[in-house]
Amino acid sequence: MARINSPVGENQRNLYGDVRTIQTLLNKNSVITRPGHLLAEDGKIGPNTIARIRLFQEKVVRMRNPDGVIDPNGVTMRNLTLHANFHTTVNRTTRVPGITQEQFVQAAATLGCEVAAIKAVVYTESPRGAFDEKGRPSILYERHYFHKLTGGKYDSNPVLSNPTAGGYGKYSAQYGKLEEAMKLDKNAALRSASWGAFQIMGNNFKEAGFSSVDDFVKAMGTLQGQLDAFVRFIANNAHRKNALINKNWASFAYNYNGPAYRKNNYDNKLAHNYQKALSE
């Protein structure tokens, strides 16, 4: 179920993620929103959003004096989530087999965020799943990380070591590249791949709560290990955590994937997958 962290409306804090959630919920209420008259889900409070809140309070909540304010635990918020017309069809290919709803709920409670926010990260990062067809953690080999970690020592093989990101090749080729890089420098190679359902870089093993990249990689062998690593990785960075809580997808994308996130439309993918997760 969708929720907000702070009041939304006239003269309120109007956090980006909260406003966007309210705009989405208002758009999903057929009593006050007609096709072709959707609010822009831009996370920005404005006269149109406030007017729609007041209309909802008048038509659905039946408030005598609509105040244009939605409190996190107030009657307007309860009615918004109750009467939202979410589509029930879910793209099953984006599900992560094995992570139970209970595990998601526990992780969300630890971080103080929504379950749907965590699912949005999973659906964006690992559309193929947390493991490959051989049961190994899904990985993406990053040649520019290997270049940086080894000081360009192996740039004679640009497929494995290259100052420029990219050149990923086929999904099935990732482990082959990783294994070749490990022959050159095992530690650097393991740190140069992103791992599992949340695609955490091996180079971030310390922020994920591990003393070595080998321990990190070992934990990636189970879904619980991947989920626990993600929770610690988020909890250990205040900016990353606050962005996830507030559903500020641009800020989260920047902190999670780096300044080049716009090239892959990463923030918009997160926002889209968050809405998909809400529909489950």
Side-chain angles (χ1 to χ4, degrees), residues 94-110:
T94 61
R95 289 186 178 274
V96 179
I99 297 184
T100 67
Q101 183 67 11
E102 290 75 19
Q103 286 174 306
F104 276 121
V105 168
Q106 181 58 54
T110 300

Side-chain angles (χ1 to χ4, degrees), residues 26-270:
L26 289 168
N27 282 339
K28 292 183 180 297
N29 190 277
S30 59
V31 174
I32 60 166
T33 302
R34 303 188 311 277
H37 292 81
L38 298 176
L39 289 169
E41 296 176 12
D42 57 7
K44 300 177 181 178
I45 201 68
N48 290 338
T49 299
I50 292 175
R52 197 69 61 86
I53 292 172
R54 291 182 184 276
L55 183 62
F56 180 82
Q57 291 175 325
E58 176 188 348
K59 299 292 186 182
V60 180
V61 187
R62 303 294 184 181
M63 291 177 64
R64 291 186 178 181
N65 299 299
D67 58 8
V69 175
I70 301 177
D71 291 311
N73 299 309
V75 63
T76 303
M77 187 64 190
R78 290 198 297 273
N79 276 273
L80 265 178
T81 55
L82 178 65
H83 295 289
N85 298 317
F86 287 115
H87 296 295
T88 56
T89 301
V90 178
N91 183 353
R92 299 293 173 180
T93 62
T94 61
R95 289 186 178 274
V96 179
I99 297 184
T100 67
Q101 183 67 11
E102 290 75 19
Q103 286 174 306
F104 276 121
V105 168
Q106 181 58 54
T110 300
L111 293 173
C113 68
E114 295 178 42
V115 167
I118 297 178
K119 289 183 177 181
V121 179
V122 178
Y123 296 167
T124 303
E125 290 288 354
S126 56
R128 291 177 177 269
F131 299 94
D132 67 10
E133 70 281 355
K134 295 182 179 180
R136 301 172 297 187
S138 296
I139 66 166
L140 184 67
Y141 180 78
E142 299 277 9
R143 65 186 189 183
H144 65 294
Y145 266 80
F146 193 72
H147 162 84
K148 182 177 180 180
L149 291 171
T150 59
K153 182 178 179 180
Y154 301 104
D155 283 3
S156 59
N157 186 339
V159 173
L160 300 181
S161 182
N162 198 308
T164 304
Y168 298 109
K170 295 181 180 180
Y171 176 72
S172 58
Q174 301 308 304
Y175 267 97
K177 289 191 287 186
L178 175 65
E179 289 164 0
E180 287 301 309
M182 288 175 65
K183 294 176 184 178
L184 303 174
D185 189 322
K186 178 184 176 183
N187 183 273
L190 295 177
R191 292 167 63 183
S192 298
S194 55
W195 296 80
F198 299 93
Q199 287 295 284
I200 299 173
M201 285 299 302
N203 197 46
N204 293 323
F205 67 89
K206 290 183 179 179
E207 275 196 277
F210 297 90
S211 59
S212 70
V213 69
D214 291 287
D215 288 341
F216 167 81
V217 170
K218 183 178 180 180
M220 294 299 102
T222 68
L223 280 171
Q224 187 63 59
Q226 294 178 15
L227 183 58
D228 289 344
F230 171 77
V231 169
R232 290 191 294 267
F233 184 59
I234 298 301
N236 286 333
N237 184 293
H239 293 294
R240 200 177 293 139
K241 181 179 178 181
N242 289 333
L244 185 65
I245 290 172
N246 294 318
K247 301 178 290 294
N248 188 333
W249 298 121
S251 177
F252 182 81
Y254 181 90
N255 281 281
Y256 200 85
N257 274 57
Y261 73 90
R262 290 187 182 89
K263 293 182 180 179
N264 297 315
N265 205 27
Y266 187 69
D267 54 334
N268 290 325
K269 290 178 182 178
L270 282 164

